[in-house]
Amino acid sequence: MKVIPFSAQAQAQAQARTPGSAPSSRPERLRRLLRSYPPLVLLCGLWTLAILGVALLAGELAPYAHSQIDLQARLSPPIFMGGSASHWLGTDELGRDVLSRLLASIRISLLVAFISTILSATLGVFLGFLAAHFRGWVEQLILILVDFQASMPFMIIALAVLAFLGNTLPLFIALMGLYGWERATRITRGLTIAANEQGYAAAVADIGASPMRVYLVHVLPNIASTLIVSVTLTFPEVILLESGLSFLGLGVQPPMTSLGNMVGYGREYLQTAPWLLLIPSAVIVLTSFSVSTLGDWLRDRLDPTLR
Amino acid sequence: MNTPHNGADALVSIRNLRVAFDDGKAKVPVLHGIDLDIDPGEALGIVGESGCGKSVTWLAVLGLLGARAQVSGTVYLRAEPLHTLRGDQLAPIRGKRIAMIFQDPSCALNPVQRIGRQLTEALTLHRALRGAPARAEALRLLDRVHIPDARQRLDAYPHELSGGMNQRVMIAMALAGEPELLVADEPTTALDTTIQAQILALLAEIRQDSAMALVLISHDLGVIADMCDRVLVMYAGRVVEQARSQRLFQHPQHPYTQGLLGALPDLHRAPERLVPIAGNVPEPAHMPRGCSFGPRCRQFQPGCELHAPVQRQIGVQHHVACHRAGA
Amino acid sequence: MSSYIVARLLRALVTVFLVLSFAFVILRLSGDPALLIMSPDVPPEAIEAFRRSWGLDASLWQQYLGFFRNLLQGQFGYSMRDRSPAMALVMQHLPATLAITLPAFALKLALGIPAGMFAALHRNSAIDRCVMGLAVAGHTIPGFVLGLVLVLVFAVGLGWLPSGGNAGWQHAILPVLTLSLGGAAVLARFTRSAMLEVMGQAYIRTALAKGLLWRAVVLRHALPNAAIATVTIVGFMVGSLVAGAVVVESVFSWPGVGRLLVTAVANRDLAVVQSLLLLVAATMVTANLIVDALYGWIDPRLRRSSAAKA
Amino acid sequence: MSALLDIRELSRHYPVRNSPWPWGKSVSLRAVDGVSLRLPAGKTLGLVGESGCGKSTTARMVLGLLPASGGQVLFEGQPVPSVRGPRWRALRQRMQMVYQNPLDALDRRLRVQDQVAEPLTIFRQGSMAERNERARAMMASVGLTPHLMTRYPHELSGGQRQRVVLARALILGPSLLVCDEPVSALDMSIQAQVINLLQDIQERRQVAYLFISHDLKVVRQVSHEVAVMYLGRIVEQGAAEDLFRRPAHPYTQALVSAVPSPWRSAGLPRIVLQGDPPRPGALSAGCAFHSRCAQAMPSCRVVRPELQPIAPGRTAACHLLARA
Amino acid sequence: QTDSRPVLRIAVQQVTNTGSLIPLRERSNVGSRSFPMIYAGLIEIDRQGNLSLKPGLATSWKRIDERTVELKLRKGVKFHNGDEMTAEDVAFTFGPEYMFAATEPRRAGQKAVTIKTDASAAGAQTAGKALALPPEVPAIARRLWPSLEQVKVIDKHTVRFVNAVPDVTMEGRIARSGSEIISRRAFLAAKDWASWSRSPVAAGPFKVKELRPDNLLVLVAHDAYYGGKPPVREVRYQVVPEVSGRVNGLLSGEYDFVADVPPDQIKTIEANPKFEVVGGPALNHRLIAFDKHHPQLADPRIRLALAHAIDRDAIVSTLWAARTSVPAGLQWEYYGPMFHKDWSVPRYDPQLAARLVREAGYKGEPIPYRVLNNYYTNQVQTAQILVEMWRAVGLNIQLQMKENWQQIFDQGAPRGIRDWSNSSPFNDPVSSIVDQHGANGQQQQMGEWSNSEFNTLATLLENATDMSNRSRVFRRMLEIAERQDPAYTVLHRSAQFYGKRKDIDWKWSPTFAMDFSADNLRMPGK
Ligand SMILES: Nc1ncnc2c1ncn2[C@@H]1O[C@H](COP(=O)(O)OP(=O)(O)OP(=O)(O)O)[C@@H](O)[C@H]1O
Ligand SMILES: Nc1ncnc2c1ncn2[C@@H]1O[C@H](COP(=O)(O)OP(=O)(O)OP(=O)(O)O)[C@@H](O)[C@H]1O
Ligand SMILES: [Mg+2]
Ligand SMILES: [Mg+2]
């Protein structure tokens, strides 16, 4: 059996080592930086920023007006499929510039998706907290609402809004804010009941903190990880749902355009003009992917025990 | 009994065990080269300040530290190298040859499985028992750790048992594999003295019956004194002193050991103000140069900060890592 | 015991009642079935006659009371479209839907949960990124795009599978695939998140220390503890077994309940919509009741907590 | 002298279900059963006993964190409310708690400094800067060095965490502090530091402590009075020194005899109790300890002994002693 | 002996909107596709030819007077159930039990007002052993035959259609859909109307085997069909709601035919040499209807400007791949003597349109344009093009997407423009301009438009028998409705396209019918 002399070697090593943690070398630092900010996360961050930039500057960036029709140039392919440079991403079935439409769509879809995702998450979390805090009949009532929302086809809810309130963009965003809250509520309720059983929340409440403070400052960050998953799932769902609802006469309507709309009208051209469907789909997938990746990364960052 | 440091026929022999954790910003060394040997059937006590690496040492031996820990050094179990084994290769060792009882029993048991199932799982694994025989054996183990009403407890969930009972279930589970070495990490902290006494008596009994070696980690010097043949004192990731227990408690040599014993309150003397060791435990990331106890040491003298002291033998089976001790 | 069951039943009943009432009011006020079912080119007097014959000219209130009175007598009414009994119509379509949603449901579980576990176990590795990337993509790609692409590849391109219709199990393969990929992705993401929470717990280390192999630890100890979040999501999926396949049904011309629902809503064919909603709500409510009961079964601690709060 | 804290016949029952099904019938578990205690200002009352005997439950009821099933808690002569209204909130500034498990009681996603300052934030005391200043000062006075203040709980050692919880409890300057196992996770040296700190604060500010611990040596070190609990009831009470020197109740005797010490005088026999305490839900009449008591008599099985004076300043609940 | 004839598989968007196979209830183009294969009429239209009338179940017909037509029935015609058709069946088909219930014909001197039906009366009339008709059926039937007094049985093979008022369109009406003959015995034996409506018994080339609404219609050959044994054993109409589903199904060989192919898919199908797309303009015009009560549209100049601003040829040549055409206003060539060759839709003239807009004093006030989501092929695209064209002449038209027809007609908010299409079910202007824009037509009933001179002329057109007089009246009506006080403007002819296997010999028909009878279908091989 191999016996290592105890003293000498250990001593030598102990001395060779500068006290405390060794100051990291350059590649070491780079490695750490890449660990905290993996390239994928950086890429996703960049993409999200780019998309947000596009959303802000859509008007300035677009080479054409998004509704400008050129029937003679309809369905011309994008430049990478052999099209001309006058329409980089080609044109649609009315000869409108796909790039310009894409820019306008990004602006409107992100507006809708971001705001309504936030609305739905807020509503869901709030109701989840309420249920977990009061239990009893309040909880039962909220669970009834959850089941109600889950069983009611969203089409009918949309019809309700359409029938009674009409269709304006703010109203539509509010309606989409009703999408997916039930999932957030159920998750929040479950996790909060569990959290309430744990010491930290009870401890702060016992110090005299208001329930508001307990839930927002302490419980919320602790249940955020699963919520983030739920919210990042809602995000693309809202974008796609919008396209479905625009067929009901709700939401973004021609001549205005949205990613969902482009995908919806592009589906019949999958074989003849695939770019009409694939380009907006790619934007949706990439953006959702970025948002989800950032969400997961944020989730890990929020958890100091995982760092 | 052989002397430490030759490790020739030791049951477990650890050499220069180092562990560092990567916290994402920097590598924080936690163990700075632990050497220790345990003979078959021996009871070794480990004491030391909280956070000095007592638990980490044994988690490292069993490969349970997770991906962010960087472990180096050698570990031999009866001359078999364990440090070369990775992941699942260690599984046949764990529980079967070296079993461990964790610090907090109520967190360490799976909350959603019945006690009986968790016990029989270990029995199936190590003794190939299944079905009714496994259940009978589980029952016997529970009886062995003096759990009253054992038959019913088999179907209980951990949260339905008191802390003391969970502690005993953990012990029963550790005993299921009939291990050669049992590492008990603070097995009695959460218990009152009467139950503590029961459990210690139980451990002693099992050692007698099966010649199992025991590593007992505890803050309670009384418990250590009661149970162990030999005591190891750790400070900041190093072993600073080891001796037979009587000798250690009577003639502590390292200033840290002396400080520990001096800080002990006494039940039978009129209370006086306690005397803690001055200063604070160094952070693992900012270890002082040289002797890590230096800044808190009453006997500090120039030279102590130059290099870390190595262990030297200063008496029969008594080793100290201090520049001044025995001088 | 009886009070427990009565309370749950009451909740279920109230939910179903709310669903039906809401749908009733909305369907009645948002469109005229006469105009929608008959083509708009039909003469007004025909529309008028249609309305009268279905009692659509009565006050909303009377219609509402009448609807529930009939319901209480077990009458679900008739489709205004083809005058067939509404519930029978729904039941006719149900097998087709279940024929794809049930296998898809199983596939979702079989794909999603292992994928999530796998990603969690290799957290932050390339494998994790790949699985999660696929999951996000799987969930984000619209169902009809996925369906169309599958058809183009497997039906038009390779000619291995039919492009639509339901005449045998081969026809179900592509719809089931389309349906399950998205759901599997959702499950994978939730499972990964829950597994990550669990893998750090002390009892995982205990299980390893026992000598269990890594795989056994994951399957026997981590998974059941991570099941709460997953079960919640699965509960919602059960609810969508009935009417959750609208897109897939139309892409693959699958004559199921989802399409029936869309047509019925578009036509404001009340009795059919209500029969369907009754079914959907009953499934959803039952699923959530089961999920609630499962919570206690999965995690015995939750039994105590509900008792302590009672 | 009127007591700062006066606990009268306090009890707490939990309904527990015997069957695994949510609709199973529940029985009542008497976690605390008629406990009466008095604690003068500036003094320490030690509370010891078996794990699970109701110490923590008592502590929570004392602070009004848990409604009592019976009895009353008077703080400065006023009943302590358990309804979380304005008066309850106002009382938080006078009475605080140090939790048994510090890791549990700290939010793992907040820096410890913010957690120490949190009571100030909650009661809107001072500006942001002032609060941080006071938190810093408080942490320094419990021996936490500045570099620890911006850390997260899991980045601290057990002893440091314990002191964070202590600092948080002390920052509002309470006059009653309930300490639930404040030192059990600490090594001897740090344990000594914390005990010294508590004693210093008591001297300076006249804080009263209700001190719960399994470590009798520590209890002896800090307490003026000690009460011994067994299964929800007080079985013995008296001045610390006296009680530990001459434990009267058989349970106390077992407790004291079992204290391990590195320097044990070999003569004292250790009483190792047999068996486990009965299940709290299934208590029979009679003395709760009889099943484990070496000296149990037939009457112990039937009649429950009441707490009675046995010597000046000492009470105990045992038939053996009552007869003596 | 097994039938070796092949099965024809057809993918369609829908087989019947109302779940029934009764022409009197299902009034959609969708129904017109398959109904002619189930039913046979007394007089048929030369569907694949010049749309002229030709003998059907009646071998000949002649006018007795302005109000009466006599028909000689074909002998030996077998219904699907094997019964022989007689004059009794014809009379029954046009009787109260199957068609009219208690409704009364409009008699001479009565004005063309909305004809009310009374549901309870309809029920009472048919009570007894006959089936209760859904009340909308008699209402529709009366629309088809507003003044039919009775069908008289002269002998077993002779019937007389007697009208209450003079009507030159009687032959056309006999030929139109809705006038098909059913078996009296089978109808009376049916369990209820609903089950009858799913498996009617008539005398067409195919009989109904199975109807699963929204999914499948299976017809089997009626070998005793008077026009000859159908060349296929079975026709399966599979509902495939998605365009891409139909196209892909055709390409992957699952269907022999697909219907409802939008023009942009033609390329996709024809990229494969085994398939081709046939079809073209149908008997239907796409048009834009105006609500003249809208404050801006009240001025006819604005409506005319709207009409002149549309570049119809651009739409036809791009969106429709030039496979349809712009008609000469709301009329069809098959009107024969009533057709005005020299008439045309307002020409594309943006300058003129802009001038009209200016003259009308229009200040850019928004005018709503309510649109359904592709209820008509290319509807949304066309609407967007139109809005741009109108913008170019200074008109601010606001597109509003709607979910259903009620929302289109909703009077709650100001109405402006909407999409519509008009068919011509028989060869006379009465079938379109009167039926749809006259006093009883949808546009006036919905309160969008009316014009007293136009209404007077409409009555005249219905009752007059002198063809040259009628022609003049029609011309004047066109002038009013398309130029002077525009009620609508015609965009283009609707087009129908079918994808099919090239090796199948088959001709499409502008009538929407897909004719699979022996005359028109030859399967390859064998
Ligand atoms: N997973 C980990 N990641 C980072 N640091 C760790 C981890 N586990 C332990 N440590 C650090 O390693 C050091 C030693 O921990 P260990 O658990 O061995 O202490 P201990 O001696 O058992 O103390 P105690 O008496 O409190 O149980 C501590 O400073 C601790 O903060
Ligand atoms: N929410 C609850 N529901 C049911 N039983 C409970 C609940 N909380 C505590 N108990 C029971 O009450 C009894 C007293 O618990 P308590 O926490 O007060 O014990 P303790 O004396 O503090 O024990 P330890 O020394 O282990 O901390 C125990 O038997 C416990 O199981
Ligand atoms: Mg430890
Ligand atoms: Mg406690």
Side-chain angles (χ1 to χ4, degrees), chain D residues 61-324:
Chain D
M61 284 191 292
V62 163
L63 292 179
L65 305 179
L66 192 72
S69 311
Q72 211 180 11
V73 180
L74 300 177
F75 182 73
E76 295 176 328
Q78 299 290 315
V80 175
S82 62
V83 181
R84 305 202 165 194
R87 220 166 75 72
W88 182 89
R89 260 170 67 85
L91 266 183
R92 287 317 100 193
Q93 313 189 38
R94 311 287 320 281
M95 40 177 25
Q96 280 289 340
M97 173 138 179
V98 180
Y99 292 89
Q100 191 165 3
N101 183 351
L103 189 56
D104 222 38
L106 290 173
D107 188 336
R108 60 185 191 142
R109 286 170 213 250
L110 273 188
R111 296 174 195 281
V112 291
Q113 182 186 330
D114 299 336
Q115 301 203 45
V116 171
E118 183 153 27
L120 296 176
T121 318
I122 291 170
F123 291 100
R124 302 216 176 79
Q125 296 189 359
S127 66
M128 177 85 112
E130 280 166 18
R131 283 181 220 149
N132 282 343
E133 194 38 54
R134 275 176 67 185
R136 225 173 273 270
M138 194 69 239
M139 288 171 80
S141 77
V142 296
L144 292 170
T145 45
H147 73 267
L148 298 173
M149 295 183 181
T150 53
R151 294 206 177 173
Y152 292 96
H154 74 279
E155 295 173 337
L156 298 179
S157 81
Q160 289 160 340
R161 270 182 227 138
Q162 191 73 68
R163 283 176 278 177
V164 169
V165 176
L166 195 61
R168 182 170 71 177
L170 286 171
I171 197 160
L172 288 168
S175 46
L176 170 67
L177 192 62
V178 175
C179 305
D180 197 351
E181 305 265 16
V183 292
S184 63
L186 310 183
D187 64 89
M188 286 70 63
S189 169
I190 295 174
Q191 179 178 310
Q193 279 178 19
V194 170
I195 289 172
N196 288 348
L197 175 78
L198 286 173
Q199 285 177 330
D200 289 348
I201 291 173
Q202 185 165 59
E203 260 166 45
R204 265 189 283 137
R205 302 211 198 138
Q206 286 294 296
V207 189
Y209 296 127
L210 180 60
F211 194 94
I212 301 173
S213 179
H214 286 310
D215 192 333
L216 301 189
K217 288 171 288 194
V218 173
V219 172
R220 160 86 161 91
Q221 176 74 25
V222 301
S223 307
H224 302 98
E225 281 252 330
V226 174
V228 182
M229 259 181 109
Y230 189 80
L231 279 186
R233 317 191 102 234
I234 305 288
V235 295
E236 185 167 6
Q237 191 179 356
E241 206 179 326
D242 197 27
L243 186 135
F244 285 125
R245 193 171 321 126
R246 288 192 306 274
H249 193 281
Y251 177 65
T252 321
Q253 286 169 356
L255 216 52
V256 172
S257 82
V259 173
S261 155
W263 304 285
R264 168 183 307 284
S265 36
L268 257 170
R270 172 183 291 180
I271 307 172
V272 177
L273 291 176
Q274 290 308 309
D276 234 45
R279 274 230 290 252
L283 272 190
S284 57
C287 178
F289 188 58
H290 78 252
S291 58
R292 305 169 75 198
C293 182
Q295 307 161 53
M297 313 172 294
S299 65
C300 294
R301 227 171 285 270
V302 199
V303 186
R304 194 165 65 181
E306 294 300 324
L307 205 57
Q308 295 170 344
I310 51 162
R314 293 280 300 272
T315 50
C318 180
H319 291 308
L320 289 166
L321 303 168
R323 258 198 324 197

Side-chain angles (χ1 to χ4, degrees), chain B residues 21-23 28 30-31 48-57 59 65 68 103 185-186 217 219 234 284, chain C residues 205, chain D residues 154-159 161 185 187:
Chain B
F21 285 104
D22 196 333
D23 67 356
V28 182
V30 165
L31 291 187
E49 115 265 357
S50 98
C52 69
K54 304 183 294 291
S55 310
V56 163
T57 304
L59 292 176
L65 275 178
R68 284 182 311 123
Q103 226 163 342
D185 193 355
E186 313 223 16
I217 302 173
H219 287 309
M234 285 177 68
Chain C
R205 205 166 61 189
Chain D
H154 74 279
E155 295 173 337
L156 298 179
S157 81
R161 270 182 227 138
D187 64 89

Side-chain angles (χ1 to χ4, degrees), chain B residues 72-149:
Chain B
S72 66
T74 61
V75 179
Y76 289 88
L77 172 63
R78 288 201 195 273
E80 249 177 75
L82 298 188
H83 55 272
T84 53
L85 303 182
R86 288 282 162 268
D88 278 353
Q89 293 172 317
L90 274 168
I93 309 290
R94 297 181 190 140
K96 178 66 190 154
R97 305 190 55 189
I98 303 179
M100 187 157 176
I101 302 170
F102 292 102
Q103 226 163 342
D104 183 354
S106 44
C107 295
L109 288 172
N110 189 339
V112 310
Q113 274 184 14
R114 295 177 198 277
I115 300 298
R117 170 130 182 253
Q118 299 191 45
L119 268 173
T120 43
E121 186 175 40
L123 289 169
T124 311
L125 209 59
H126 301 303
R127 313 241 299 267
L129 293 175
R130 259 166 242 284
R135 204 171 154 85
E137 177 63 15
L139 198 63
R140 196 187 66 79
L141 281 170
L142 285 190
D143 275 336
R144 179 115 197 250
V145 296
H146 298 295
I147 286 193
D149 208 5

Side-chain angles (χ1 to χ4, degrees), chain A residues 197, chain B residues 159-164 190-192, chain C residues 304 308, chain D residues 12 14-16 29-32 49-60 66 100 180-181 212 214 229 231 280:
Chain A
E197 297 277 311
Chain B
H159 73 269
E160 294 171 341
L161 302 183
S162 75
L191 307 178
D192 67 294
Chain C
R304 190 185 61 173
Chain D
R12 169 78 206 185
Y14 287 112
V16 277
L29 182 155
R30 293 159 179 260
V32 176
E50 179 120 48
S51 88
C53 70
K55 304 183 296 292
S56 303
T57 308
T58 308
R60 292 172 55 76
L66 192 72
Q100 191 165 3
D180 197 351
E181 305 265 16
I212 301 173
H214 286 310
M229 259 181 109
L231 279 186

